Amino acid sequence: MASDGGVSCLRSSEMLNVGIGGMEPPPLDLDEVHVLAVDDSLVDRIVIERLLRITSCKVTAVDSGWRALELLGLDNEKASVELQRLKVDMIITDYCMPGMTGYELLKKIKESSSFRQVPVVIMSSENVLTRIDMCLEEGAEDFLLKPVKLADVKRLRNCLSGDVKLSNGNKRKLPEDSVTVVQASLPPPPPTPQPSLMTLSTDSSDSSPPLSPVEVFSSPLSSLGDDDVLTSSPECSPTPEESPIRRQKMGSPGLDQ
Amino acid sequence: MDTLVAQLQRQFRDYTISLYHQGFLDDQFTELKKLQDECSPDFVAEVVSLFFEDCEKLIGNMARALDQTGNVDFNLVGSSVHQLKGSSSSVGAKRVKGLCITFKECCDSQNFEGCVRCLQQVDIEYKSLKAKLQDLFNLEQQIVQAGGRIPQVDI
């Protein structure tokens, strides 16, 4: 299937090899973080791509949730077996998109065994608490208010550059020589038994500090109450109290630059 | 005695400040400038150029939708307004964004006259901004051609 002009696919064979099992660790490469950005607006795509590149990320930008799923190999087409799965460290997606909303894309990613560990960040121009809650409950890592600023992306980038999530849910930065040991968001390998890698990819759904509303908003001065929802964005009822609610936010507030 | 470069730089500074003070630009434009460097020296110009193309396309869509006399699809108009609001917000086109907010309200209340008025205003506004930013970029070019550096303007 032909790629469109602006889309660059990283084949999994181009993945960095993580230095597991006593091998010499690869040199620290600031470009190793690969982000898949999804936005139907060309202007926004260009901006988010630049924001990510300037913070040393490799970027693949696509214009729809369907295209994203296709790249991830999560669409239902059997033909995607040919296409090697894209290796991504983070997915950042607009909420309001025609066809498939960012929320629906989030759900599909979280339903997949290959990519559920990948942090998904939602962007939206509307500051709607129910929407934010819904996304976070579905497993979104963070919610950014548009227009996205450099400080927002730097904060996200910091979280991807070597945070280790310890089993008790506390997160701390490891010194750089340990960064090769853990890749928190490596997708699992294709279905042949490979034990070691995945034990390092810690599950982030357990105890995490609850979000305070202030932490969620990156741009506190946006206008409130602008509740227009254009596409069919499903308003889910909140999950019941007893089920684990993933309200994890990437990084600690102190990492703001 | 003022050199040509110094004069141009002062003009550039004054003009930039006036664009912010008159509400044409907001701090998101400043954010875009942060993304420009030696490797991407024309980033801002490229993004705003795409934005103006977007304006033209979306305004065309809105005009066509509003032209369906007696059968106006306000959702369709509203959808284009929403997109325009988004991209104007992303580039710091403050007045355009403000007009989109009003425009959206007219769509939501299916106010045909209001929509037509807003459409005219948005059209005028984006073209006005386009001309002003072109002047600004021209000034930048003149500064560089005269051997100077484009000053950082703190708003």
Side-chain angles (χ1 to χ4, degrees), chain A residues 37-86:
Chain A
V38 191
D39 201 315
D40 62 310
S41 156
L42 176 60
V43 169
D44 287 358
R45 250 189 342 269
I46 300 292
V47 173
I48 194 71
E49 192 169 4
R50 180 78 186 136
L51 283 166
L52 289 164
R53 279 192 214 271
I54 219 173
T55 48
S56 309
C57 297
K58 281 201 169 90
V59 188
T60 302
V62 299
D63 64 359
S64 73
W66 291 114
R67 187 73 179 118
L69 291 178
E70 193 179 27
L71 283 182
L72 295 171
L74 294 179
D75 59 345
N76 294 324
E77 298 295 318
K78 287 302 169 193
S80 68
V81 159
E82 294 266 336
L83 185 77
Q84 284 181 313
R85 283 221 185 101
L86 200 60

Tab-separated table of all heavy atoms in Angstrom, chain A residues 37-86:
chain	number	residue	atom	x	y	z
A	37	ALA	N	1.970	10.937	15.489
A	37	ALA	CA	1.059	12.058	15.723
A	37	ALA	C	-0.128	11.945	14.776
A	37	ALA	O	0.046	11.665	13.587
A	37	ALA	CB	1.781	13.378	15.500
A	38	VAL	N	-1.319	12.140	15.317
A	38	VAL	CA	-2.535	11.991	14.529
A	38	VAL	C	-3.366	13.263	14.639
A	38	VAL	O	-3.775	13.649	15.743
A	38	VAL	CB	-3.375	10.785	15.037
A	38	VAL	CG1	-4.503	10.455	14.066
A	38	VAL	CG2	-2.496	9.567	15.265
A	39	ASP	N	-3.603	13.917	13.514
A	39	ASP	CA	-4.432	15.127	13.524
A	39	ASP	C	-4.950	15.368	12.119
A	39	ASP	O	-4.186	15.320	11.150
A	39	ASP	CB	-3.598	16.330	13.986
A	39	ASP	CG	-4.482	17.472	14.503
A	39	ASP	OD1	-5.491	17.800	13.849
A	39	ASP	OD2	-4.157	18.033	15.570
A	40	ASP	N	-6.239	15.663	12.009
A	40	ASP	CA	-6.800	15.860	10.676
A	40	ASP	C	-6.473	17.243	10.114
A	40	ASP	O	-6.610	17.473	8.916
A	40	ASP	CB	-8.316	15.628	10.677
A	40	ASP	CG	-9.050	16.614	11.582
A	40	ASP	OD1	-8.634	16.769	12.743
A	40	ASP	OD2	-10.042	17.202	11.133
A	41	SER	N	-6.038	18.145	10.972
A	41	SER	CA	-5.700	19.490	10.496
A	41	SER	C	-4.245	19.542	10.050
A	41	SER	O	-3.336	19.207	10.813
A	41	SER	CB	-5.930	20.500	11.627
A	41	SER	OG	-5.146	21.661	11.430
A	42	LEU	N	-4.032	19.971	8.828
A	42	LEU	CA	-2.665	20.045	8.293
A	42	LEU	C	-1.808	21.012	9.098
A	42	LEU	O	-0.664	20.704	9.447
A	42	LEU	CB	-2.708	20.472	6.817
A	42	LEU	CG	-1.346	20.682	6.142
A	42	LEU	CD1	-0.514	19.411	6.167
A	42	LEU	CD2	-1.528	21.159	4.703
A	43	VAL	N	-2.373	22.161	9.396
A	43	VAL	CA	-1.628	23.168	10.176
A	43	VAL	C	-1.190	22.567	11.513
A	43	VAL	O	-0.023	22.671	11.905
A	43	VAL	CB	-2.492	24.422	10.408
A	43	VAL	CG1	-1.854	25.345	11.426
A	43	VAL	CG2	-2.721	25.157	9.095
A	44	ASP	N	-2.106	21.918	12.186
A	44	ASP	CA	-1.779	21.335	13.485
A	44	ASP	C	-0.768	20.209	13.362
A	44	ASP	O	0.082	20.020	14.240
A	44	ASP	CB	-3.055	20.810	14.171
A	44	ASP	CG	-3.924	21.941	14.689
A	44	ASP	OD1	-3.514	23.112	14.542
A	44	ASP	OD2	-5.006	21.669	15.236
A	45	ARG	N	-0.847	19.473	12.278
A	45	ARG	CA	0.098	18.385	12.056
A	45	ARG	C	1.510	18.928	11.895
A	45	ARG	O	2.458	18.400	12.472
A	45	ARG	CB	-0.282	17.597	10.792
A	45	ARG	CG	-0.797	16.232	11.117
A	45	ARG	CD	-1.010	15.296	9.963
A	45	ARG	NE	-1.116	15.737	8.622
A	45	ARG	CZ	-2.249	16.067	8.001
A	45	ARG	NH1	-3.376	16.050	8.683
A	45	ARG	NH2	-2.243	16.415	6.737
A	46	ILE	N	1.620	19.981	11.123
A	46	ILE	CA	2.932	20.601	10.906
A	46	ILE	C	3.491	21.126	12.221
A	46	ILE	O	4.672	20.963	12.522
A	46	ILE	CB	2.824	21.756	9.884
A	46	ILE	CG1	2.316	21.256	8.544
A	46	ILE	CG2	4.157	22.474	9.724
A	46	ILE	CD1	3.272	20.356	7.806
A	47	VAL	N	2.641	21.752	12.992
A	47	VAL	CA	3.103	22.334	14.253
A	47	VAL	C	3.518	21.245	15.233
A	47	VAL	O	4.598	21.312	15.832
A	47	VAL	CB	2.019	23.253	14.866
A	47	VAL	CG1	2.417	23.717	16.251
A	47	VAL	CG2	1.771	24.459	13.965
A	48	ILE	N	2.697	20.224	15.392
A	48	ILE	CA	3.028	19.185	16.372
A	48	ILE	C	4.270	18.410	15.925
A	48	ILE	O	5.110	18.035	16.760
A	48	ILE	CB	1.827	18.232	16.657
A	48	ILE	CG1	2.081	17.379	17.907
A	48	ILE	CG2	1.531	17.307	15.500
A	48	ILE	CD1	2.043	18.127	19.200
A	49	GLU	N	4.396	18.246	14.625
A	49	GLU	CA	5.570	17.557	14.114
A	49	GLU	C	6.834	18.342	14.454
A	49	GLU	O	7.836	17.782	14.907
A	49	GLU	CB	5.426	17.392	12.594
A	49	GLU	CG	6.432	16.461	11.982
A	49	GLU	CD	6.082	16.116	10.533
A	49	GLU	OE1	5.101	16.663	9.996
A	49	GLU	OE2	6.807	15.298	9.956
A	50	ARG	N	6.781	19.636	14.254
A	50	ARG	CA	7.920	20.500	14.549
A	50	ARG	C	8.212	20.526	16.044
A	50	ARG	O	9.362	20.437	16.473
A	50	ARG	CB	7.645	21.907	14.018
A	50	ARG	CG	8.751	22.880	14.265
A	50	ARG	CD	9.893	22.703	13.285
A	50	ARG	NE	10.994	23.580	13.680
A	50	ARG	CZ	12.273	23.228	13.717
A	50	ARG	NH1	12.621	22.005	13.383
A	50	ARG	NH2	13.192	24.085	14.086
A	51	LEU	N	7.161	20.624	16.839
A	51	LEU	CA	7.318	20.616	18.295
A	51	LEU	C	8.035	19.346	18.740
A	51	LEU	O	8.915	19.369	19.598
A	51	LEU	CB	5.960	20.695	18.993
A	51	LEU	CG	5.272	22.056	19.053
A	51	LEU	CD1	3.820	21.923	19.464
A	51	LEU	CD2	5.993	22.977	20.040
A	52	LEU	N	7.659	18.219	18.152
A	52	LEU	CA	8.249	16.950	18.547
A	52	LEU	C	9.679	16.822	18.029
A	52	LEU	O	10.563	16.368	18.748
A	52	LEU	CB	7.389	15.783	18.032
A	52	LEU	CG	6.050	15.620	18.747
A	52	LEU	CD1	5.104	14.716	17.954
A	52	LEU	CD2	6.245	15.050	20.149
A	53	ARG	N	9.903	17.247	16.800
A	53	ARG	CA	11.257	17.140	16.251
A	53	ARG	C	12.230	18.014	17.014
A	53	ARG	O	13.375	17.631	17.239
A	53	ARG	CB	11.267	17.543	14.770
A	53	ARG	CG	10.816	16.444	13.856
A	53	ARG	CD	11.122	16.787	12.396
A	53	ARG	NE	10.098	16.268	11.519
A	53	ARG	CZ	10.119	15.051	10.974
A	53	ARG	NH1	11.103	14.244	11.222
A	53	ARG	NH2	9.130	14.660	10.192
A	54	ILE	N	11.757	19.169	17.423
A	54	ILE	CA	12.658	20.097	18.114
A	54	ILE	C	12.990	19.571	19.503
A	54	ILE	O	13.977	19.982	20.122
A	54	ILE	CB	12.030	21.519	18.136
A	54	ILE	CG1	13.114	22.567	17.919
A	54	ILE	CG2	11.293	21.809	19.416
A	54	ILE	CD1	12.577	23.965	17.756
A	55	THR	N	12.191	18.644	20.000
A	55	THR	CA	12.509	17.991	21.271
A	55	THR	C	13.104	16.609	21.032
A	55	THR	O	12.992	15.707	21.855
A	55	THR	CB	11.265	17.890	22.178
A	55	THR	OG1	10.162	17.377	21.432
A	55	THR	CG2	10.887	19.238	22.729
A	56	SER	N	13.724	16.454	19.866
A	56	SER	CA	14.496	15.251	19.550
A	56	SER	C	13.692	13.974	19.427
A	56	SER	O	14.128	12.910	19.849
A	56	SER	CB	15.594	15.013	20.603
A	56	SER	OG	16.341	16.171	20.792
A	57	CYS	N	12.515	14.085	18.876
A	57	CYS	CA	11.739	12.872	18.603
A	57	CYS	C	11.720	12.613	17.102
A	57	CYS	O	11.734	13.543	16.309
A	57	CYS	CB	10.282	13.035	19.046
A	57	CYS	SG	10.094	13.294	20.801
A	58	LYS	N	11.670	11.338	16.768
A	58	LYS	CA	11.332	10.989	15.389
A	58	LYS	C	9.809	11.055	15.314
A	58	LYS	O	9.121	10.650	16.246
A	58	LYS	CB	11.767	9.561	15.069
A	58	LYS	CG	13.228	9.395	14.779
A	58	LYS	CD	13.481	8.104	13.995
A	58	LYS	CE	14.890	8.041	13.453
A	58	LYS	NZ	15.832	7.396	14.390
A	59	VAL	N	9.307	11.555	14.208
A	59	VAL	CA	7.854	11.738	14.123
A	59	VAL	C	7.285	11.124	12.866
A	59	VAL	O	7.843	11.278	11.786
A	59	VAL	CB	7.494	13.245	14.102
A	59	VAL	CG1	5.998	13.439	14.223
A	59	VAL	CG2	8.219	13.995	15.197
A	60	THR	N	6.180	10.453	13.021
A	60	THR	CA	5.353	10.079	11.884
A	60	THR	C	4.007	10.751	12.110
A	60	THR	O	3.377	10.540	13.145
A	60	THR	CB	5.159	8.545	11.807
A	60	THR	OG1	6.425	7.916	11.728
A	60	THR	CG2	4.324	8.180	10.594
A	61	ALA	N	3.606	11.578	11.158
A	61	ALA	CA	2.345	12.305	11.333
A	61	ALA	C	1.331	11.827	10.304
A	61	ALA	O	1.617	11.795	9.116
A	61	ALA	CB	2.584	13.809	11.180
A	62	VAL	N	0.152	11.470	10.771
A	62	VAL	CA	-0.903	11.010	9.874
A	62	VAL	C	-2.167	11.816	10.126
A	62	VAL	O	-2.307	12.471	11.160
A	62	VAL	CB	-1.184	9.498	10.046
A	62	VAL	CG1	0.050	8.692	9.713
A	62	VAL	CG2	-1.659	9.179	11.453
A	63	ASP	N	-3.082	11.717	9.158
A	63	ASP	CA	-4.239	12.613	9.229
A	63	ASP	C	-5.523	11.955	9.709
A	63	ASP	O	-6.575	12.582	9.692
A	63	ASP	CB	-4.472	13.285	7.873
A	63	ASP	CG	-4.835	12.260	6.786
A	63	ASP	OD1	-4.888	11.048	7.091
A	63	ASP	OD2	-5.062	12.681	5.640
A	64	SER	N	-5.432	10.703	10.128
A	64	SER	CA	-6.657	10.068	10.621
A	64	SER	C	-6.346	8.884	11.515
A	64	SER	O	-5.253	8.308	11.456
A	64	SER	CB	-7.514	9.586	9.443
A	64	SER	OG	-6.907	8.447	8.851
A	65	GLY	N	-7.328	8.543	12.329
A	65	GLY	CA	-7.197	7.372	13.182
A	65	GLY	C	-7.029	6.102	12.367
A	65	GLY	O	-6.262	5.205	12.736
A	66	TRP	N	-7.721	6.053	11.231
A	66	TRP	CA	-7.635	4.847	10.389
A	66	TRP	C	-6.217	4.650	9.870
A	66	TRP	O	-5.682	3.542	9.851
A	66	TRP	CB	-8.616	4.947	9.220
A	66	TRP	CG	-10.040	4.859	9.660
A	66	TRP	CD1	-10.991	5.826	9.590
A	66	TRP	CD2	-10.673	3.738	10.300
A	66	TRP	NE1	-12.169	5.384	10.134
A	66	TRP	CE2	-11.999	4.111	10.572
A	66	TRP	CE3	-10.238	2.451	10.662
A	66	TRP	CZ2	-12.901	3.250	11.186
A	66	TRP	CZ3	-11.138	1.598	11.277
A	66	TRP	CH2	-12.461	2.003	11.530
A	67	ARG	N	-5.624	5.757	9.451
A	67	ARG	CA	-4.261	5.687	8.940
A	67	ARG	C	-3.306	5.263	10.052
A	67	ARG	O	-2.379	4.490	9.823
A	67	ARG	CB	-3.872	7.066	8.376
A	67	ARG	CG	-2.560	7.090	7.660
A	67	ARG	CD	-2.628	6.409	6.307
A	67	ARG	NE	-1.339	6.470	5.628
A	67	ARG	CZ	-0.609	5.407	5.293
A	67	ARG	NH1	-1.033	4.187	5.564
A	67	ARG	NH2	0.558	5.561	4.681
A	68	ALA	N	-3.559	5.751	11.242
A	68	ALA	CA	-2.735	5.379	12.394
A	68	ALA	C	-2.827	3.882	12.665
A	68	ALA	O	-1.821	3.200	12.854
A	68	ALA	CB	-3.157	6.168	13.634
A	69	LEU	N	-4.055	3.366	12.659
A	69	LEU	CA	-4.244	1.941	12.911
A	69	LEU	C	-3.577	1.106	11.822
A	69	LEU	O	-2.996	0.048	12.090
A	69	LEU	CB	-5.733	1.606	12.979
A	69	LEU	CG	-6.494	2.150	14.176
A	69	LEU	CD1	-7.965	1.791	14.088
A	69	LEU	CD2	-5.914	1.623	15.485
A	70	GLU	N	-3.659	1.623	10.621
A	70	GLU	CA	-3.041	0.928	9.497
A	70	GLU	C	-1.532	0.815	9.704
A	70	GLU	O	-0.938	-0.246	9.540
A	70	GLU	CB	-3.349	1.732	8.237
A	70	GLU	CG	-3.055	1.020	6.944
A	70	GLU	CD	-3.411	1.895	5.749
A	70	GLU	OE1	-3.390	3.138	5.875
A	70	GLU	OE2	-3.704	1.330	4.704
A	71	LEU	N	-0.931	1.917	10.093
A	71	LEU	CA	0.516	1.919	10.332
A	71	LEU	C	0.904	1.001	11.488
A	71	LEU	O	1.962	0.375	11.470
A	71	LEU	CB	1.007	3.333	10.641
A	71	LEU	CG	1.160	4.281	9.455
A	71	LEU	CD1	1.705	5.606	9.943
A	71	LEU	CD2	2.101	3.694	8.427
A	72	LEU	N	0.031	0.965	12.479
A	72	LEU	CA	0.326	0.143	13.647
A	72	LEU	C	0.042	-1.327	13.379
A	72	LEU	O	0.361	-2.184	14.201
A	72	LEU	CB	-0.497	0.623	14.850
A	72	LEU	CG	-0.180	2.026	15.364
A	72	LEU	CD1	-1.214	2.452	16.401
A	72	LEU	CD2	1.212	2.068	15.973
A	73	GLY	N	-0.574	-1.585	12.234
A	73	GLY	CA	-0.924	-2.967	11.936
A	73	GLY	C	-2.155	-3.422	12.685
A	73	GLY	O	-2.397	-4.610	12.850
A	74	LEU	N	-2.951	-2.460	13.140
A	74	LEU	CA	-4.123	-2.798	13.937
A	74	LEU	C	-5.425	-2.729	13.141
A	74	LEU	O	-6.492	-2.926	13.685
A	74	LEU	CB	-4.242	-1.849	15.144
A	74	LEU	CG	-3.139	-1.971	16.180
A	74	LEU	CD1	-3.368	-0.973	17.301
A	74	LEU	CD2	-3.085	-3.379	16.752
A	75	ASP	N	-5.312	-2.403	11.860
A	75	ASP	CA	-6.543	-2.427	11.083
A	75	ASP	C	-6.856	-3.877	10.754
A	75	ASP	O	-6.056	-4.761	10.965
A	75	ASP	CB	-6.409	-1.584	9.824
A	75	ASP	CG	-5.264	-2.086	8.947
A	75	ASP	OD1	-4.432	-2.868	9.429
A	75	ASP	OD2	-5.210	-1.674	7.786
A	76	ASN	N	-8.013	-4.137	10.249
A	76	ASN	CA	-8.427	-5.517	10.079
A	76	ASN	C	-7.946	-6.156	8.790
A	76	ASN	O	-8.211	-7.311	8.539
A	76	ASN	CB	-9.956	-5.617	10.171
A	76	ASN	CG	-10.420	-5.277	11.567
A	76	ASN	OD1	-9.752	-5.615	12.531
A	76	ASN	ND2	-11.540	-4.596	11.682
A	77	GLU	N	-7.230	-5.354	7.996
A	77	GLU	CA	-6.773	-5.872	6.718
A	77	GLU	C	-5.698	-6.916	6.913
A	77	GLU	O	-4.699	-6.669	7.554
A	77	GLU	CB	-6.201	-4.723	5.855
A	77	GLU	CG	-7.209	-3.650	5.502
A	77	GLU	CD	-8.312	-4.194	4.620
A	77	GLU	OE1	-7.995	-4.964	3.711
A	77	GLU	OE2	-9.473	-3.864	4.871
A	78	LYS	N	-5.880	-8.048	6.345
A	78	LYS	CA	-4.869	-9.088	6.452
A	78	LYS	C	-3.599	-8.675	5.721
A	78	LYS	O	-2.521	-9.148	6.011
A	78	LYS	CB	-5.398	-10.416	5.865
A	78	LYS	CG	-6.420	-11.095	6.743
A	78	LYS	CD	-5.855	-11.370	8.109
A	78	LYS	CE	-6.919	-11.808	9.087
A	78	LYS	NZ	-6.452	-11.773	10.474
A	79	ALA	N	-3.751	-7.770	4.782
A	79	ALA	CA	-2.593	-7.311	4.010
A	79	ALA	C	-1.547	-6.664	4.892
A	79	ALA	O	-0.390	-6.588	4.542
A	79	ALA	CB	-3.050	-6.336	2.928
A	80	SER	N	-1.959	-6.210	6.089
A	80	SER	CA	-1.008	-5.529	6.951
A	80	SER	C	0.042	-6.475	7.513
A	80	SER	O	0.996	-6.050	8.132
A	80	SER	CB	-1.721	-4.804	8.083
A	80	SER	OG	-2.301	-5.763	8.952
A	81	VAL	N	-0.160	-7.754	7.318
A	81	VAL	CA	0.870	-8.716	7.737
A	81	VAL	C	2.179	-8.417	7.021
A	81	VAL	O	3.264	-8.582	7.555
A	81	VAL	CB	0.382	-10.162	7.440
A	81	VAL	CG1	1.543	-11.125	7.374
A	81	VAL	CG2	-0.606	-10.603	8.496
A	82	GLU	N	2.062	-7.940	5.799
A	82	GLU	CA	3.238	-7.585	5.003
A	82	GLU	C	3.979	-6.414	5.635
A	82	GLU	O	5.187	-6.359	5.660
A	82	GLU	CB	2.806	-7.172	3.592
A	82	GLU	CG	2.197	-8.280	2.762
A	82	GLU	CD	3.248	-8.939	1.905
A	82	GLU	OE1	4.265	-8.278	1.619
A	82	GLU	OE2	3.070	-10.093	1.537
A	83	LEU	N	3.202	-5.452	6.104
A	83	LEU	CA	3.764	-4.222	6.645
A	83	LEU	C	4.284	-4.503	8.049
A	83	LEU	O	3.542	-4.905	8.915
A	83	LEU	CB	2.664	-3.166	6.691
A	83	LEU	CG	3.044	-1.755	7.122
A	83	LEU	CD1	3.748	-1.054	5.988
A	83	LEU	CD2	1.798	-0.994	7.483
A	84	GLN	N	5.567	-4.317	8.229
A	84	GLN	CA	6.082	-4.558	9.565
A	84	GLN	C	5.531	-3.526	10.523
A	84	GLN	O	5.369	-2.381	10.176
A	84	GLN	CB	7.607	-4.493	9.542
A	84	GLN	CG	8.221	-5.734	8.938
A	84	GLN	CD	9.723	-5.650	8.941
A	84	GLN	OE1	10.284	-4.643	8.549
A	84	GLN	NE2	10.382	-6.691	9.386
A	85	ARG	N	5.303	-3.981	11.740
A	85	ARG	CA	4.678	-3.087	12.700
A	85	ARG	C	5.572	-1.908	13.006
A	85	ARG	O	6.763	-2.042	13.178
A	85	ARG	CB	4.382	-3.854	13.977
A	85	ARG	CG	3.173	-4.730	13.833
A	85	ARG	CD	2.329	-4.653	15.097
A	85	ARG	NE	1.224	-5.578	15.031
A	85	ARG	CZ	1.229	-6.746	15.646
A	85	ARG	NH1	2.279	-7.112	16.356
A	85	ARG	NH2	0.187	-7.541	15.541
A	86	LEU	N	4.934	-0.789	13.111
A	86	LEU	CA	5.637	0.435	13.435
A	86	LEU	C	6.012	0.391	14.910
A	86	LEU	O	5.226	-0.004	15.742
A	86	LEU	CB	4.690	1.597	13.178
A	86	LEU	CG	5.231	2.981	12.981
A	86	LEU	CD1	6.148	3.014	11.791
A	86	LEU	CD2	4.070	3.928	12.761
